[in-house]
Amino acid sequence: MLHVALLVVAVGCLAAAPLFLYPIFLMKLLCFALFACAFNLLLGYTGLLSFGHATFFGGAAYFTAHAMKTWGVTPEAGILIGVAGAALLGLVVGFFAIRRQGIYFAMITLALGQMFYFFCLQATFTHGEDGIQSVPRGHLFGLIDLNRPTSMYYFVLVVFLIGMAIIWRFVNSPFGMILKSIRENEQRAISLGYSVGSYKLGAFVMSAALTGLAGGLKALVFQFATLTDVGWQMSGEVILMTLLGGIGTMIGPVVGAGLVVTLQNYLATSDFPVTIVTGIVFMACVLLFRRGIVGEFYASRLGRKLGF
C-alpha cells in the first residue's frame, strides 16, 4: 500500500509540475529519464554494459523527425516509426554484440555505434551536420494540438508512464527473472537449459525499442534531430545518469537523469563549466553512494523499514 501511495503522489506531482516549472525542461527530464530506465533494463537487470545506446536514441530521433517532416505522418505514427527503427537497429547490433562478454561486448557496441554515427554524418536524409530542423509536432490523433506546450507536456508524461509500466512488467515477468539469473550467474543459467543468447538478444532489442521511444519523444519536444543524439558522449551521459541514480532499481535512473538534466539546465547560463561540476558530483556519488543515490537509500535502515 505504501508503494502505491508513493506512486500516486509522484504521478500527482508530475501532473502539477508545469504550474511551477518550465515545461520544456520537464519534458527533457522525462525523455532522458525514460532513456536511462531503458538503458538500465540492459545494464541493471541483464548485466550488459553498452557503450553505444545513443545509436538507438539518436536513430529513433532521426527516423521520427524524417517521418514527421518529409512524409507528414501523425505524431503517434512518427514515434512508432522511431521505435520500430530503434528495435531493428537493436536487433542488428545485439546479434553481433551478444557473442562476446564484458569489455568486449562494450567495445563492440561502441564500435557499431560509431559506425552508425558516421552513417548519419554522410546520409542524405539526416542532412549531415545541419541535422533535421523545424520538425512539426502536428496533432495527436488528429485532435490535440501538440504545438501547445501544456498539451505536449501531458503527452510526454503519458508516454513516459507507459514506458515505465512496460519496463516494470518486463522486469517482474518470468522473462525478467531469467535475465536476473543470467546477470548473477550466466553459467548456472546455461546449465539449467536456458538459451542465454536468445534472452540477451531479447533484452537488448527491448532496451533499444524503449530507448527509441525516448528518442522519438525528444525529437518532437525540441523539434530537431542532430548528430549530438548519436554521438558517443550521449552514450556516456546515460551511463552516468544510471550510475548516479543506482543500477538495478526502477526509480534510480529517473533520479540520476533528473540530477544531470537539472545541472545542465541551471548551470548552462552560469560561469561554472557544466562538465566539471557533473564530474565532481559523479565522484562524490561514487565515493559516498557506491550503489547510487537510490540504491543506498534502499539499503539503508529507513529504506528496509519502508519495504524497499
Side-chain angles (χ1 to χ4, degrees), residues 151-168:
S151 300
M152 186 65 201
Y153 171 76
Y154 285 112
F155 171 59
V156 173
L157 176 59
V158 169
V159 174
F160 168 76
L161 293 176
I162 292 173
M164 291 297 293
I166 292 172
I167 293 173
W168 181 87

Side-chain angles (χ1 to χ4, degrees), residues 56-129:
F56 318 122
F57 183 76
Y62 274 123
F63 299 148
T64 297
H66 180 75
M68 293 285 295
K69 186 172 183 178
T70 306
W71 299 342
V73 302
T74 58
E76 62 275 14
I79 289 178
L80 288 176
I81 289 171
V83 171
L88 182 60
L89 285 172
L91 182 63
V92 174
V93 174
F95 177 78
F96 293 103
I98 63 169
R99 299 171 184 275
R100 293 294 180 265
Q101 297 178 346
I103 191 64
Y104 303 105
F105 173 89
M107 289 299 100
I108 290 173
T109 58
L110 176 61
L112 293 175
Q114 287 302 100
M115 289 174 61
F116 186 74
Y117 172 86
F118 287 111
F119 166 78
C120 292
L121 181 62
Q122 300 294 331
T124 304
F125 81 97
T126 63
H127 302 284
E129 294 182 352

Side-chain angles (χ1 to χ4, degrees), residues 3-22:
H3 293 179
V4 174
L6 291 174
L7 178 61
V8 171
V9 171
V11 173
C13 291
L14 288 174
L19 299 175
F20 308 99
L21 296 171
Y22 190 44

